[in-house]
Amino acid sequence: MRPTPTPVRPGHRDVLGVPLLLALVAAAIAWVLGGHLAAAALVTLAAYEIALSVDNAVPMAGVAGRLHPRTRAVFLTAGLFVGVVVMRLLVPPLAVATAGGEELADTTADIVTDPTSYAADLAAIRPELAGFGGVFLWMVFSEFLVNAERKDRPLWIAPLERPFYRLRRPRLVQFSMAAVLAAAAAAVAADHRDVALAGAAGIAGYALVKLGARHVLTHALAVVAERALAVFLLLEVLDGAYSFSDSGTGLPAWERLAIGVAGVSIGAVFLVRLTRRLDAVEALKRYEHLPAGAAYALGALGALLWLSLLTPVPAPVAAWFGAVVIGAALVSSLVRNHRRGRPLRGADLPAQRHGGSRSASRRR
């Protein structure tokens, strides 16, 4: 049985209103302190983070639905915000240090003191990161396809999803397909050996994450980590749009660091508020194709990472493409509900879902 939602929830107007207000205030401060380049960089990064939060909020709402009410209340406020900000700021230097065989402290220092060197290190290992990320995100996406618990849920893209329900050994097929795709990506890459090793590391990394995510709290941390990695791969690997690696703005190191922290924080505020909204209206139950949309968005990102081994892929395309996929899943869910006679009604809104109105909504 799903835990009772926390009573205090943001309204639909506050979900985007507060982050936009924060973005405007932060952009004004950046303009005063660093000029129009600083303000433009902050707005761009905040827009990327907000766009990607549309995709990330869906699995976060799914995690929230599995938590105890008190734990869920913490997760949907400070826990999710702090977790997202820490992971988003930690993943870039950790990924570069790991792939480049450097000390994490040195890589972190380069971000602030020598961004040109950090950008060069990142550019040198981008093929390996694309190979790792493509396989890792494929594993996350294919987990959705082979998940036996989904067999009693509606299909979204039935011709693709139905064959996976009939597999006798779905996990074996999942890992085998990942190995084949990793080998294909390595074959087309310039550095075959390094990309192949990165693909193997992506499979191993996924397996380790899943082994440690059997408890509900570690599962929540695993989902946050997966999404932080996905955002990093999109913004850093596809075209280096993330402010820490963009060394061409001419901004001082402290301004670049402040812009990065502010942009990530604004995106985290939007993610928290959107996740709370989705949890409040039980969106994953009412709009049944949303989990599929989130999974397909990650699958598309994995494919774009593999494509980046052959040709540059603009990050804005991938960022907004994920939001479009989620929008398509929402629209198809609304159509499905309409055909079944389940349109969204006023009693479904958070302010009216307590007491008798909630019981009435259940009877519907």
Side-chain angles (χ1 to χ4, degrees):
M1 182 177 179
R2 187 181 189 277
T4 304
T6 8
V8 180
R9 305 290 186 195
H12 61 285
R13 294 180 180 178
D14 293 334
V15 169
L16 188 57
V18 171
L20 286 180
L21 178 60
L22 291 175
L24 289 175
V25 172
I29 295 174
W31 188 299
V32 171
L33 297 179
H36 68 282
L37 286 178
L42 190 147
V43 170
T44 301
L45 180 58
Y48 280 148
E49 296 284 347
I50 289 174
L52 292 169
S53 294
V54 176
D55 176 21
N56 293 346
V58 176
M60 297 301 180
V63 169
R66 299 174 56 178
L67 298 176
H68 183 275
R70 290 184 179 179
T71 305
R72 193 153 111 261
V74 175
F75 176 76
L76 289 173
T77 51
L80 183 54
F81 175 83
V82 173
V84 168
V85 171
V86 170
M87 291 301 299
R88 284 286 290 113
L89 297 179
L90 178 63
V91 165
L94 180 61
V96 174
T98 302
E102 301 177 356
E103 293 292 334
L104 177 60
D106 295 337
T107 303
T108 304
D110 284 344
I111 291 178
V112 180
T113 61
D114 192 2
T116 302
S117 175
Y118 171 77
D121 291 341
L122 178 62
I125 64 170
R126 270 188 183 141
E128 291 90 330
L129 290 176
F132 173 91
V135 173
F136 185 88
L137 295 180
W138 157 260
M139 295 298 293
V140 177
F141 166 59
S142 59
E143 179 186 6
F144 165 82
L145 294 178
V146 304
N147 191 348
E149 296 178 357
R150 292 187 58 253
K151 291 186 177 181
D152 59 346
R153 302 179 187 177
L155 302 178
W156 190 32
I157 304 180
L160 177 61
E161 297 171 29
R162 189 176 288 113
F164 285 91
Y165 289 171
R166 300 170 181 168
L167 297 175
R168 292 185 178 181
R169 296 183 178 180
R171 293 298 180 185
L172 177 61
V173 174
Q174 180 189 17
F175 279 84
S176 299
M177 291 184 67
V180 171
L181 291 170
V188 302
D191 195 336
H192 309 300
R193 178 178 175 274
D194 288 345
V195 174
L197 291 175
I203 296 176
Y206 168 84
L208 289 175
V209 167
K210 292 306 167 187
L211 284 176
R214 295 181 177 179
H215 187 272
V216 65
L217 291 180
T218 54
H219 171 70
L221 179 61
V223 172
V224 173
E226 287 175 359
R227 295 292 158 155
L229 176 62
V231 175
F232 161 72
L233 291 169
L234 189 154
L235 294 185
E236 289 279 22
V237 176
L238 289 186
D239 74 350
Y242 192 50
S243 63
F244 286 167
S245 66
D246 180 9
S247 57
T249 60
L251 298 175
W254 71 269
E255 289 187 10
R256 296 162 55 78
L257 178 62
I259 288 170
V261 173
V264 169
S265 299
I266 291 169
V269 170
F270 177 74
L271 174 60
V272 169
R273 301 184 75 81
L274 181 57
T275 302
R276 294 178 67 194
R277 174 66 178 172
L278 294 178
D279 179 65
V281 299
E282 297 184 351
L284 302 191
K285 291 184 177 180
R286 299 181 185 278
Y287 311 117
E288 295 172 317
H289 293 316
L290 280 181
Y296 277 97
L298 280 185
L301 175 56
L304 288 173
L305 286 169
W306 278 323
L307 181 61
S308 70
L309 294 171
L310 298 175
T311 183
V313 178
V317 173
W320 292 106
F321 180 79
V324 169
V325 173
I326 294 294
L330 175 61
V331 170
S332 64
S333 298
L334 291 171
V335 172
R336 174 182 172 82
N337 289 348
H338 179 72
R339 289 176 177 174
R340 295 171 59 187
R342 290 178 52 194
L344 184 65
R345 301 180 184 179
D348 293 329
L349 299 178
Q352 298 173 303
R353 290 181 66 249
H354 310 296
S357 62
R358 179 172 181 173
S359 300
S361 67
R362 285 181 174 174
R363 288 196 297 269
R364 286 195 298 273

